[in-house]
Each structure stands twice: as structure tokens, then as C-alpha cells.
Amino acid sequence: MADNVEHGPSSEHEINPKVASDIHYWAEHFKVSGEALHEAIRVHGTSVEKVKAALAAGHVDAQHQKQGR
């Protein structure tokens, strides 16, 4: 399989923080850094909806936001 093929998440409803491709996918999807995503998961759990809400509400330290947002 080619390395440049885009992969989707392992689940549409849960983020697996132990799977690098999940972190990469969801960080890009939410336009945040991997660190910001890990912090949101640590505080709010692995539910995509809960993480999405936390990021939208600004409940993640701004220093972790992806550059250019």
C-alpha cells in the first residue's frame, strides 16, 4: 500500500489516542496540533463529539492550537 494514501479514522465516533493515524486524522480534521488533541482527549475523553465540542468552546490551551488557524 502506498504511503501517500489518505486513511480515515479507525472509528467515526471514538478517537484512539494510541493509534498515530487516528491522532493525525483528527488533528487535521479539527485543525489543531496533535498535542492539543491529546490534551482534549485527556480532559474530555475519546468521544469525537465531546472533543469537537471542547475544541470549539476553546477548552484547550491556545498554545497547543495549530499554527495558521
Side-chain angles (χ1 to χ4, degrees):
M1 187 177 277
D3 288 338
N4 62 351
V5 175
E6 290 291 323
H7 296 282
S10 57
S11 169
E12 293 181 22
H13 306 287
E14 295 291 324
I15 303 168
N16 186 339
K18 295 180 181 180
V19 176
S21 60
D22 266 21
I23 295 300
H24 178 78
Y25 175 87
W26 289 110
E28 288 293 316
H29 179 80
F30 293 131
K31 295 180 177 40
V32 297
S33 68
E35 292 85 6
L37 184 60
H38 273 290
E39 180 65 10
I41 291 168
R42 184 185 71 76
V43 174
H44 301 282
T46 61
S47 163
V48 170
E49 289 303 314
K50 288 182 180 180
V51 169
K52 178 180 177 180
L55 292 170
H59 292 165
V60 174
D61 187 350
Q63 74 180 5
H64 293 296
Q65 295 297 315
K66 192 170 191 174
Q67 295 296 329
R69 183 166 183 205

